């Protein structure tokens, strides 16, 4: 077992002297919840889980504080104060080490970051590129209502056929980029399915920025913003505005060459358990006429499939 020296601790990991044992006063903010969370996670990890002998006279159900500190490469005093909910500084690197020691899954790791009031840096799990059969089954069952799964960057992780009826623009099918923002901003005015672009696209960019705050500096996000800014001057201008808004329900108006009139749809976002920052977006006709137009698109899709000799829906 390696002993951690003082030189191994970074300045970010040093306790705030003002928060030392002599400090008194009520705890506030997220720190009490952070303390309770760390204690509960520590209690469920046994010495055997981390390759340690159980030893004798062990009263703690899980790891001891000093064991967590040593396995994480931090000072015992620092970790003790962190678990006591004291206002000390924590770097992402140290939180990652603690998360590994406590065997936190991705949602728990994100929760740890938020409680410690440190900007969350997702791991590879946050870049989920596909959904499981259960989620895809839910999306398919929602047909004839258009539905899709987006992540915070508006990457399209899953769709049903009705969604493709509504959003099947050439920019999505030809570019190979499964991202609704890329499709809408690079489509021509004639091909873009969204009617009120000056109203809808600024809201979508503001929603994108609300997710960007958790990923600023990450190569994939920075590259996406840079590439779309280069491809669309309109996106670049909206991005520079700095507007931020969370996802929310609203009525959107669509057009389609196979529909005889505009289609008004109410969009609703639903969170997905086990997929942080992802959401199911479902579109419901806002009026009877829109429902009829949506049915016309579905009929057109089936007729096209029969003409091609296949009933398989086109891929995005």
């Amino acid at each position: 077992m390696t002993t951690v020296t003082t030189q191994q601790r970074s300045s970010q990991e040093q306790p705030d002297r003002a928060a030392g044992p002599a400090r008194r006063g009520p705890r506030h903010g997220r720190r009490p919840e952070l303390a309770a969370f760390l204690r509960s996670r520590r209690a469920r990890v046994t010495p055997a889980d981390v390759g340690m002998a159980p030893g004798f006279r062990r009263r703690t159900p899980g790891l001891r504080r000093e064991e967590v500190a040593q396995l994480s490469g931090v000072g015992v005093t620092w970790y003790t104060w962190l678990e006591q909910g004291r206002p000390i500084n924590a770097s992402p690197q140290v939180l990652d080490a603690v998360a590994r020691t406590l065997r936190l899954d991705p949602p728990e790791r994100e929760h740890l970051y938020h409680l410690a009031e440190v900007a969350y840096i997702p791991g590879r799990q946050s870049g989920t590129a596909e959904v499981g059969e259960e989620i895809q089954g839910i999306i398919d069952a929602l047909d004839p209502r258009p539905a899709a799964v987006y992540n915070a960057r508006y990457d399209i992780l899953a769709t049903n056929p009705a969604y493709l009826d509504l959003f099947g623009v050439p920019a999505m099918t030809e570019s190979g980029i499964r991202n609704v923002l890329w499709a809408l901003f690079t489509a021509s005015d004639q091909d873009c399915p969204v009617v009120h672009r000056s109203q809808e696209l600024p809201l979508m960019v503001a929603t994108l920025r609300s997710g960007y705050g958790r990923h600023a500096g990450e190569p994939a996000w920075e590259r996406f913003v840079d590439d779309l800014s280069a491809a669309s001057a309109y996106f670049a201008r909206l991005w520079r505005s700095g507007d931020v808004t969370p996802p929310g329900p609203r009525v959107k108006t669509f057009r389609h060459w196979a529909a005889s009139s505009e289609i008004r749809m109410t969009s609703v976002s639903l969170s997905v358990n086990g997929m942080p920052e992802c959401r199911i977006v479902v579109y419901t006709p806002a009026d009877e006429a829109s429902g009829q137009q949506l049915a016309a698109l579905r009929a057109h899709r089936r007729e096209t499939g029969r003409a091609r000799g296949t009933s398989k829906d086109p891929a995005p």
Side-chain angles (χ1 to χ4, degrees):
M1 187 174 295
T2 304
T3 301
V4 179
T5 64
T6 303
Q7 288 77 12
Q8 289 176 295
R9 304 173 196 162
S10 71
S11 60
Q12 288 181 302
E13 299 154 21
Q14 297 300 318
D16 184 346
R17 296 305 175 188
R23 182 168 179 168
R24 296 292 184 268
R27 297 174 182 173
H28 57 83
R30 303 176 183 176
R31 295 292 168 157
E33 179 64 24
L34 172 63
F37 179 69
L38 288 173
R39 287 194 297 269
S40 68
R41 300 306 91 177
R42 176 168 60 86
R44 74 179 185 179
V45 182
T46 68
D49 290 334
V50 293
M52 298 174 59
F56 299 100
R57 297 181 181 179
R58 177 173 290 272
R59 298 177 182 177
T60 305
L63 296 177
R64 299 185 179 102
R65 285 175 176 169
E66 57 268 26
E67 291 169 340
V68 174
Q70 191 163 30
L71 290 168
S72 303
V74 301
V76 175
T77 299
W78 182 89
Y79 179 77
T80 298
W81 287 4
L82 180 70
E83 194 174 288
Q84 289 175 344
R86 302 196 185 199
I88 60 176
N89 297 324
S91 69
Q93 294 78 11
V94 171
L95 289 181
D96 282 345
V98 172
R100 285 192 296 270
T101 298
L102 298 180
R103 307 168 73 88
L104 302 186
D105 61 23
E108 290 173 330
R109 180 173 174 269
E110 180 178 3
H111 188 57
L112 172 65
Y113 266 74
H114 292 329
L115 293 179
E117 299 177 285
V118 173
Y120 176 57
I121 303 176
R124 289 178 298 176
Q125 294 87 349
S126 67
T128 304
E130 59 183 15
V131 302
E133 293 181 1
E134 292 182 355
I135 298 300
Q136 183 64 60
I138 292 172
I139 297 298
D140 291 338
L142 287 169
D143 193 62
R145 287 180 172 81
V149 178
Y150 298 153
N151 63 13
R153 201 168 53 221
Y154 278 96
D155 291 330
I156 303 169
L157 308 184
T159 64
N160 65 9
Y163 177 90
L164 301 181
D165 292 340
L166 206 58
F167 279 93
V169 295
M172 191 181 297
T173 57
E174 295 172 4
S175 69
I177 300 176
R178 292 174 59 88
N179 181 280
V180 70
L181 282 177
W182 188 277
L184 296 181
F185 274 99
T186 60
S188 65
D189 289 339
Q190 181 179 359
D191 290 331
C192 183
V194 176
V195 175
H196 305 297
R197 296 182 71 178
S198 61
Q199 298 175 18
E200 296 301 332
L201 297 190
L203 287 172
M204 295 180 72
V205 174
T207 302
L208 175 71
R209 185 172 282 280
S210 71
Y212 171 81
R214 296 185 293 272
H215 301 273
E218 292 182 22
W221 275 76
E222 299 298 343
R223 184 168 56 251
F224 174 78
V225 171
D226 290 344
D227 289 349
L228 189 49
S229 295
S232 170
Y234 185 32
F235 172 83
R237 177 160 56 87
L238 292 175
W239 185 254
R240 288 194 299 269
S241 72
D243 292 341
V244 178
T245 189
R250 51 181 175 261
V251 176
K252 300 181 181 181
T253 305
F254 298 88
R255 59 179 162 229
H256 193 284
W257 65 269
S260 60
S261 63
E262 295 178 350
I263 308 170
R264 299 177 68 250
M265 305 290 287
T266 300
S267 67
V268 177
S269 296
L270 309 170
S271 60
V272 184
N273 289 339
M275 297 180 67
E277 301 187 34
C278 293
R279 63 190 190 276
I280 296 175
V281 180
V282 184
Y283 294 86
T284 303
D287 49 53
E288 184 177 353
S290 296
Q292 293 172 351
Q293 294 302 318
L294 196 64
L297 296 186
R298 183 179 179 86
H300 172 74
R301 184 210 324 149
R302 290 177 173 175
E303 291 174 3
T304 302
R306 284 194 295 268
R308 293 175 178 174
T310 177
S311 58
K312 185 177 180 179
D313 295 302

